[in-house]
Amino acid sequence: MADREGVRIDLDGILRQLEANGFDEVRVEFAPDDGGGAAAVVDVVRQAVRVANDVANEAAPDSIWGSLLTASLAGFSVRLGSMESEEALNTWLEAFGGHVRAGGLSGELRATKTVRLPAWDSADPMMTAYIALGALSALGGAGMSGWAERAVRWAAEAGGDAYVGSSGMSQLDATGEVTVHLASMLHVASSGAVLYTDEQASRAALVQIRSDGQAIYQIHDASVSLAAQADRARTAILAEAAYAHYAFVAPTPRRAYGWDARGRALPPLREGIPAYAPRMHADLWSRFVPDVHCIQLLTDEHLDRVTDLSQWTVTHVADGRTLVEARDLAEWLRPGGPAPSIVDQARTDFGQALVPADDVR
């Protein structure tokens, strides 16, 4: 291991991981000696990635590129790709190490210990709560930590091992500091995910959030009914009711990677609403809904637009937030989805709260 005046570079370990990855890419981790949570440290590391990219590519154009910076369990991880040679890798590492050293930091620069997530996916429908929160950039540190704490508390009920990740990287987190690590990922990468899974029990719970605040809470439990899983999805919505401006529940086949997954859920989205609409038009969902669902969290502005909720269970759950649920939940969760007549009547009930199709094309 080379020591560059306080920045220790484990080049051998990085090269071994690069070889194991088929020489396509490698994730390199900077583990500061004094921890990595402070905002000033994040800024130095972010600048170091830019500096290293500039230095390496000035020496040899298009020779290497660092991207997808996120927090890791021990510090910070960046993906190095488009790598032309070991010389380019050395140049990048030296430039990165020099910048963080100039910023007053010391630590180890090494390959990141990543994992592939276990095969928890299932062809059976998984209950999914889609929850729209404010953009992460507006939350601040306390807001991110608060959300991370609630997300981990909800997911941990599934039991099993904990995994955290963002920016295409996943790590097994056996430290007992899952909330801290998830909050750090949100701060550094503006996205993050936590998965708890017990493979022996065929049970898992996933929470993930994007930079625009669109979050997904997904539960899979082969031992209980969809209705029982819907209760867990409702719990996720209620935990976020004071912070969310819209939420809905739908049984989604297989893992949901984003709000586009609503296009695979039941019932099908109404005609004229493309699968990408829920993701692409996040600005609309505090006023309109993309379609009807068995459980929805609505704002007062939503309620002002609906036609008739007399056949729904309506519960005020937070300031300016109301939970609206189908009275016959089993009908909505039956195989194949609810009968067309049920969906048609629900759309009539929601009336002008349904987003105009022309607004989302």
Side-chain angles (χ1 to χ4, degrees):
M1 180 179 294
D3 191 330
R4 302 293 188 269
E5 299 179 18
V7 177
R8 304 174 299 282
I9 302 177
D10 182 9
L11 182 59
D12 288 342
I14 294 171
L15 290 173
R16 284 195 299 272
Q17 187 60 54
L18 180 62
E19 181 180 9
N21 294 345
F23 296 98
D24 290 329
E25 62 181 58
V26 65
R27 271 203 164 268
V28 172
E29 174 180 71
F30 176 63
D33 290 332
D34 297 326
V41 175
V42 177
D43 289 342
V44 169
V45 172
R46 199 182 304 279
Q47 292 166 8
V49 173
R50 291 196 291 266
V51 168
N53 284 343
D54 290 343
V55 170
N57 286 284
E58 182 177 348
D62 301 321
S63 62
I64 190 170
W65 195 256
S67 62
L68 299 178
L69 177 69
T70 187
S72 64
L73 300 187
F76 305 89
S77 178
V78 60
R79 173 188 173 274
L80 297 183
S82 304
M83 202 174 310
E84 291 294 325
S85 65
E86 184 176 334
E87 181 181 1
L89 173 62
N90 271 312
T91 301
W92 196 98
L93 295 173
E94 291 287 351
F96 180 95
H99 190 83
V100 296
R101 185 171 61 250
L105 303 179
S106 64
E108 185 176 352
L109 195 52
R110 64 199 183 196
T112 312
K113 292 182 179 179
T114 62
V115 297
R116 290 184 179 274
L117 293 179
W120 63 275
D121 207 349
S122 169
D124 297 328
M126 300 182 184
M127 288 309 304
T128 308
Y130 299 77
I131 303 180
L133 299 155
L136 290 185
S137 60
L139 288 180
M144 291 181 185
S145 297
W147 180 84
E149 181 179 356
R150 296 190 298 275
V152 170
R153 184 186 309 124
W154 181 85
E157 289 190 24
D161 296 323
Y163 300 83
V164 292
S166 70
S167 301
M169 178 194 76
S170 297
Q171 294 188 287
L172 173 65
D173 193 341
T175 67
E177 299 290 337
V178 180
T179 296
V180 173
H181 294 141
L182 180 59
S184 295
M185 288 176 171
L186 301 182
H187 179 56
V188 177
S190 296
S191 66
V194 57
L195 168 70
Y196 279 82
T197 181
D198 185 339
E199 292 185 272
Q200 297 301 317
S202 298
R203 185 170 59 242
L206 168 74
V207 185
Q208 56 189 10
I209 192 168
R210 300 190 332 160
S211 60
D212 61 5
Q214 287 193 341
I216 285 178
Y217 298 65
Q218 191 165 40
I219 181 76
H220 168 58
D221 190 338
S223 68
V224 300
S225 67
L226 275 181
Q229 294 179 60
D231 288 341
R232 290 277 288 122
R234 181 191 297 106
T235 299
I237 290 177
L238 293 176
E240 298 297 329
Y243 314 96
H245 58 261
Y246 176 54
F248 64 91
V249 170
T252 308
R254 301 190 180 278
R255 177 176 173 179
Y257 289 93
W259 278 36
D260 284 3
R262 173 57 184 89
R264 296 186 278 112
L266 293 174
L269 283 167
R270 59 197 175 96
E271 186 176 355
I273 307 298
Y276 61 76
R279 172 180 56 84
M280 290 291 292
H281 297 280
D283 59 307
L284 294 176
W285 307 138
S286 62
R287 310 188 306 277
F288 295 99
V289 301
D291 206 347
V292 292
H293 299 92
C294 59
I295 302 175
Q296 297 195 104
L297 180 74
L298 305 180
T299 64
D300 290 343
E301 192 167 358
H302 288 125
L303 294 178
D304 288 342
R305 297 177 185 274
V306 300
T307 299
D308 180 14
L309 294 180
S310 61
Q311 299 305 306
W312 297 74
T313 298
V314 179
T315 309
H316 177 76
V317 294
D319 186 26
R321 301 294 183 267
T322 299
L323 195 67
V324 177
E325 302 177 77
R327 291 182 178 174
D328 188 356
L329 195 60
E331 168 61 29
W332 284 79
L333 299 180
R334 69 184 181 88
S341 60
I342 297 290
V343 178
D344 290 344
Q345 182 59 57
R347 289 170 177 163
T348 298
D349 293 344
F350 274 77
Q352 293 185 356
L354 295 171
V355 70
D358 288 344
D359 290 358
V360 295
R361 288 191 180 125

